[in-house]
Amino acid sequence: MTDSLQQLELLYQEALPLFDQSQSEEELYQNKVNYLGKKGKITDILKTLGQLSADLKPKVGAKANQVRAELEKSYEARLFHLKAAAVQKALESDKIDVTLPALQSWKGSIHPLSQVLTEMKDLFKRMGFDIFEGPEIENDHHNFEALNVPANHPARDMQDTFYVEDLKDQKGDALLLRTHTSPVQIRVMLENKPPIQMVAPGPVYRCDSDVSHTPMFHQIEGLLVDKGVNLSHLKAVLETFLKAIFEKDLPVRFRPSYFPFTEPSAEVDIGCVFCSSKGCRICKGTGWIEIMGCGMVHPAVFEGVGIDTHEYSGFAFGIGIERVAMLKYGINDLRLFFENDPRFLSQF
Amino acid sequence: MKLSYSWLKEFLPHLTATPFQIAEKLGSAGFEIESITSYGSDLSHVVVACVVDIIQHPQADRLKLCQVDTGHEVLTIVCGASNVEKGKKYPLAMIGATLPGGLVIKKASLRGIESFGMLCSEQELGLAESAAGLYLIPDSVSVGTSISDYLGDTILDVSTPPNRGDVLSHWGLAREVAAQFDLKIKMPELPAEPSSTQSFLYASRFDIKVVDVKSCKAYFSQIIEGVKVQDSPEWLVRRLKSLGLRSVNNIVDATNYVMMELGHPVHAFDRGLLQNSQLQIKSLSSSLPFVTIDHNERMLEPGDLVICDGDTPVALAGIMGGANSEVGPSTKTLVLEVASFEPDRIRKTARRLGIKTDSSYRFERGVDPSSLRLALQRLTSLIIQLSGGVASQDIFEFFTGQSPVTTVSLSLSKLQTIVGEVVSAEEVIKIFESLSLSVKYVDQTFAVTPPSFRTDLLRDVDLIEEYVRFKGFDSITSRLPSALHRPVKESPDSACNDSVKKFFKHQGFVESIHYSFTSWETLQKWDPEIKAVSLANPLNPELAVLRPELLPDLLADAARYSHFYKAGFRLYELRTVFSNLGQEHRRLSGVYSGQSQPHQWHSQPKTLDFFYGKGLIELLLAELRVSAELQATDTLSSSSFHPFQQVAICLNGKTIGHIGKIHPQILSRFALSHEIYAFDLDYSTLALAAGKHLVKFESYSDRPGVGRDMALVLDRSISFSQVLAAIQSQKIAWLKEIKLFDVYKGEKIPAEKQSMALSLTYESEGKTLTDEEVNKVHFGLIDKLGNLLGAELRGS
């Protein structure tokens, strides 16, 4: 009865390549049915087991189980392979050109002046400065007189003023467009008691238009009034601010200057950000770029708003937003800021 | 103020610092240097040489052979200039010289004769645009002097602060430089008073009367007779030219020279043109026309300070002389004026007439009355030197007296408090004294008396500034003030600003910033009846009106840049607008048009309509947590928008803005052909309400919701909001959500009707709803809608 054993071996040899070479899950399954199914060839042999002798029965039985187990294993292996191949094929059919351009949305932008202004406001807020905004139409008192610039003072030449037609303040003085953000200082000091620590950003206006002047531009004004405020504080605050806003440990230089509302006054220069102070066209070879004005609040200003100069001192500063934006973004023409050309705005 | 280095050296003979070192010192002392210009200083190998002999060139009629003494040797020079004369001095470019035009001087053979250099004209030396012949150098200059020593100069353009009238002269800046470099000043030498025993034709009978003594604090005058008005000598022309002043004649040039030297604007009248024997300094009492020396007619007003010959003004005091008394070629006798006028008066008149002269500039900033006599002496001697003439012995002097000298006291502790450093009293005294301030130090306090020219030193802080200016900011260590521990205050406008701008950026909007002023033309395209405030002194008509609206400029941009905006655009602006009464508000306005996405390969974008803008603003309101409502605009409509495509944005019963399609009439006025939609809202009110609408948590059911759809056929006149209101009026507790998913008008339903397809979700927190329960409620609702709106179910 070695026939049965041989037969099993033959069936195994016959089935194995059929399993391994099945090209589809259906074909594989059919092969499984043909050999291992209820009416399959190996099952058929097992059905004849009862007719065998007692000593052969276990041998043939064992062989049959072994063959069945081997084939089951081949089946599983082939099935796994076929499934993986099917997935692979499906993936390949889904292949796309990932280098095609991305889905485009309209690209929004924030005006560079707004971006710089926000950055500065955030910086000053983190340093503990309040943010105030004042009116853009001002009277002579807030814009000039209260800032120690009396009528007919030559310092008025520094700021050519736009006047508003037909509108007057309570005193009957013509209203004007503020020439600087400094009047906000006055308003804040009239309404608050020291300590005062504030910045005031916003547009200002001067009757001037050429390559380096636009009739409207933006400033941020700062004021700190408290007991014992001094020049070393002023220096430290502005150095900290400038290094943070230009994200660079650049040299900062203070030069004595003149403003009617501060005494002592200074202009602040930073090391040229384009040439690292080596000297270039932008800094006219000096290595320095003028960036802002500042000083200790003039006692006449304090007296006008009723702050006791024996008890308090303070410093004030003003910085042009356009200038900083030009330096930060490498913008070479001031007028671009207000032309609203899409080729300009879309870059920010 | 233009400062000549060579002139400065006349005041400071021991000055060794270079122009650049001076520029640096002045810069750190508060005088910004606008520019440094050198000329003539690069002319090496060019010297002053004397022509000792001239013979005719044997081979050429027009050339001469000159024997030229350079101080070291005598060279043969071939020269073609017609004005070459024996015994005269000219610049000689020797072999090795490179002239400004690039010409290199080499030994050259000219018609067979070797020439060892070239005699030069001003033009060839780069000193003038053109020249008639060789540059004649005065005899007084010694042979062999290098031309750059003789001619070369460096001009520093010094920016001076408005409170420092005292430095608007070479003398004044010399004082500053002297203090910085610890030098002594040497004043220009004045010849002894010219003695005149001659009888004076006019002087004895001439008088000056100061009528307005408030506006004219001092007036000095002298008569010079027998002057010869002619061209100025070359040195004077050159010196004035280097400071940007044009030479007129020797008399006018002398007045300018004294002004640049000593800072006193001075004037000379032609005595022969004066009708009366008295000049009066007075304020005008009536308006009259006056022709100034620049031959412009000016309208003088009552109160203008003038110098009068009888009733006729002959000068606008401190600003400009009159053409009627102008010194000219026939002038023989001069009346000189050296004065101190009230700065305010000068400034007022100069501003009104729009005149800014070197004279008015100085008077506005104040001149020092204590040096008037010096200035007159200097002027007189200079004029006599330049024009001959004899000065009268009588000098008219009107002087109300020196302003009282004020002593300013400054305590050491105040100085230390403001500077933030420990300061040595000795050093302070040394600094003050170097600036010509007299100092007494008693009880830890400096009592400082400034010199008469330092009218800017009035209070202790002015002295602190002098200390800091001299000592330098670098001497102060930076120390941050101790941190204040309190939350930062910020206005709602400012606080919301960033989130609004970020929101719009993420929605694909581009922020614009326009000038706050625009043109009437642009505004009237928006609204022909628009009211706004004009500027009294606009730069030009394009920038003449304060904007009461932002949308006109945005539409103007849409038209101006339409070439770039073919596929669409999204623009907005958040700025201040101004009412016609001058009230300020912040406005947030934007425009959009075109496609939902840029044109691209991927998919066909949709054209945006009204509902995009409506959604955008709803999203913004949600972002800002403002509970505003968008309402149909039967009574709240804006005439700028399409009457049937707009909604009002209402907050607490107040309309704060609109969203809609721009009215086609406005578009056509802006020459825009595409449909444009816009939103326009009161940002200040919005910002004030921002964050007020707090989020409240609502619990939700675990049970699944049951959905039911209904397609209602309605009259077209019934709006969605009416349908919604009708449904909500039924107060169905289980109804959690109502969604509109289709609106249909067309053949499949009767004309004048439309269908709205709604998807409703029913849900109960307590239990799972059965179909029967939901159906009962749902169909009950449909019946009600039939009654309320005449709605029928589509297809039923």
Side-chain angles (χ1 to χ4, degrees), chain B residues 655-691:
Chain B
T655 302
I656 63 161
H658 289 90
I659 309 162
K661 187 177 189 173
I662 299 280
H663 199 290
Q665 275 190 327
I666 293 177
L667 290 187
S668 75
R669 286 197 289 260
F670 278 97
L672 287 160
S673 47
H674 297 287
E675 293 178 339
I676 295 179
Y677 297 87
F679 56 86
D680 189 19
L681 56 148
D682 174 352
Y683 171 75
S684 297
T685 308
L686 186 71
L688 202 63

Side-chain angles (χ1 to χ4, degrees), chain B residues 279-449:
Chain B
L279 282 182
Q280 294 190 358
I281 295 91
K282 61 184 182 189
S283 294
L284 276 181
S285 53
S286 57
S287 308
L288 54 92
F290 177 62
V291 179
T292 39
I293 225 158
D294 57 1
H295 298 278
N296 283 323
E297 188 179 280
R298 321 268 183 181
M299 200 57 189
L300 304 190
E301 299 285 340
D304 285 341
L305 190 66
V306 288
I307 318 299
C308 276
D309 171 22
D311 286 333
T312 312
V314 288
L316 200 45
I319 300 172
M320 205 183 268
N324 54 7
S325 60
E326 184 182 0
V327 170
S330 57
T331 301
K332 293 283 174 285
T333 303
L334 303 173
V335 178
L336 304 183
E337 168 193 287
V338 180
S340 167
F341 299 115
E342 189 57 27
D344 275 15
R345 298 293 303 278
I346 303 302
R347 182 180 161 78
K348 228 176 182 166
T349 302
R351 291 280 288 187
R352 194 193 71 241
L353 294 173
I355 316 177
K356 191 170 170 182
T357 60
D358 285 323
S359 170
S360 68
Y361 189 77
R362 284 168 175 76
F363 278 121
E364 284 177 27
R365 282 156 181 75
V367 299
D368 177 18
S370 70
S371 53
L372 287 175
R373 189 191 304 270
L374 172 73
L376 182 62
Q377 285 172 350
R378 179 64 173 149
L379 180 63
T380 304
S381 70
L382 194 59
I383 287 177
I384 288 171
Q385 180 197 327
L386 294 170
S387 72
V390 188
S392 65
Q393 271 180 319
D394 299 329
I395 295 175
F396 175 82
E397 291 192 10
F398 170 79
F399 194 51
T400 53
Q402 197 68 46
S403 320
V405 177
T406 47
T407 298
V408 185
S409 64
L410 165 68
S411 71
L412 183 65
S413 70
K414 174 81 183 271
L415 177 61
Q416 300 191 133
T417 305
I418 295 294
V419 173
E421 297 281 339
V422 176
V423 170
S424 118
E426 289 70 34
E427 193 181 4
V428 176
I429 293 167
K430 192 166 164 264
I431 287 173
F432 286 173
E433 284 178 343
S434 76
L435 291 164
S436 315
L437 317 183
S438 76
V439 193
K440 280 184 193 138
Y441 184 59
V442 183
D443 291 342
Q444 305 274 302
T445 299
F446 306 95
V448 178
T449 311

Side-chain angles (χ1 to χ4, degrees), chain B residues 524-562:
Chain B
Q524 282 160 354
K525 282 181 190 169
W526 173 256
D527 175 2
E529 311 275 289
I530 202 159
K531 288 198 176 108
V533 187
S534 294
L535 293 179
N537 54 336
L539 279 171
N540 59 53
E542 294 301 305
L543 305 172
V545 204
L546 287 172
R547 301 192 295 173
E549 305 277 352
L550 302 178
L551 286 172
D553 278 340
L554 290 170
L555 290 177
D557 280 352
R560 182 179 173 194
Y561 298 114
S562 58

Side-chain angles (χ1 to χ4, degrees), chain B residues 713 744-751 794-795:
Chain B
V713 178
Y744 175 78
K745 292 170 195 169
E747 294 163 7
K748 294 176 187 167
I749 54 172
R794 191 169 164 193

Side-chain angles (χ1 to χ4, degrees), chain A residues 136 152 205 235 239 303 339, chain B residues 347 459 476 516 561 576:
Chain A
E136 294 168 40
N152 290 324
Y205 306 90
K235 277 187 74 176
E239 281 165 1
E303 285 156 12
E339 281 171 2
Chain B
R347 182 180 161 78
R459 324 180 50 137
I476 301 169
S516 296
Y561 298 114
T576 303

Side-chain angles (χ1 to χ4, degrees), chain A residues 104 106 114 125 130-131 136-137 152 161 163 165 197 205 231-232 235 239 263 265 290 303 339, chain B residues 32 347 418 459 462 465 473 476-478 484 489-490 511 516 534 536-537 561 576 584 595 600:
Chain A
Q104 303 292 307
W106 292 111
S114 296
K125 277 198 272 187
D130 294 330
I131 313 283
E136 294 168 40
I137 296 182
N152 290 324
T161 311
Y163 288 89
E165 202 162 73
Q197 191 175 7
Y205 306 90
L231 283 169
S232 86
K235 277 187 74 176
E239 281 165 1
E263 187 91 359
S265 306
E290 195 176 306
E303 285 156 12
E339 281 171 2
Chain B
E32 209 175 320
R347 182 180 161 78
I418 295 294
R459 324 180 50 137
D462 299 324
E465 177 164 72
F473 276 90
I476 301 169
T477 312
S478 306
L484 298 179
K489 281 186 264 181
E490 187 173 11
E511 190 199 1
S516 296
S534 294
N537 54 336
Y561 298 114
T576 303
E584 296 176 33
Q595 310 296 313
Q600 56 194 304

